[in-house]
Amino acid sequence: MTEPRPWRTSPEAFARDTGIVGQWLADHRAHVETSTVWSPCQPGDLLGRMPKRLPSDVVDVPSVLGELEQFIVPGLVRWDHPGWFAWFPSNGHEHALL
C-alpha cells in the first residue's frame, strides 16, 4: 500500500501556486526602486520575531509568502536596487528568475 504524501500536489495546484509566487515576485520587484538599499535590521532582530517551532502540517503558499513578507523581507539588503553599486548585477534581471 502506498503511503500518503500530503506535500504532493496536483498539476493544477502546482500551476496555481507558481502563479501566486510569480505575482508576488512581480509585485516585489515593482517596488524595488522605492525601498531602501540597506536593511534597518540589526543582527538578531529577525531571529527574535521568527516562530519558535516549524509547522506540523502542510502550509499553503499564500501563508508562506505572508511569513516571507513579515519575517524575511524586512531584513533584506536590496542587491537588486538601482542604488546598489557594489557589483555588476548579472543575475538581477527578471529573466534570470525564470
Side-chain angles (χ1 to χ4, degrees), residues 4-15:
R5 299 177 186 173
W7 63 87
R8 295 196 93 176
T9 186
S10 68
E12 296 81 16
F14 179 76

Side-chain angles (χ1 to χ4, degrees), residues 71-90:
F71 299 121
I72 304 303
V73 170
L76 291 179
V77 174
R78 304 307 308 256
W79 291 32
D80 54 347
H81 192 284
W84 178 265
F85 297 115
W87 72 333
F88 180 74
S90 61

Side-chain angles (χ1 to χ4, degrees), residues 5-85:
R5 299 177 186 173
W7 63 87
R8 295 196 93 176
T9 186
S10 68
E12 296 81 16
F14 179 76
R16 180 196 65 230
D17 290 346
T18 55
I20 292 169
V21 171
Q23 186 60 56
W24 183 88
L25 287 168
D27 293 344
H28 180 74
R29 298 277 302 173
H31 302 290
V32 167
E33 293 181 9
T34 59
S35 62
T36 60
V37 176
W38 295 104
S39 168
C41 297
Q42 297 298 312
D45 284 355
L46 301 179
L47 185 60
R49 295 174 51 195
M50 298 289 287
K52 302 297 181 222
R53 295 185 180 272
L54 294 174
S56 58
D57 293 325
V58 175
V59 180
D60 64 350
V61 170
S63 296
V64 171
L65 293 176
E67 290 183 0
L68 182 72
E69 280 287 333
Q70 182 181 2
F71 299 121
I72 304 303
V73 170
L76 291 179
V77 174
R78 304 307 308 256
W79 291 32
D80 54 347
H81 192 284
W84 178 265
F85 297 115

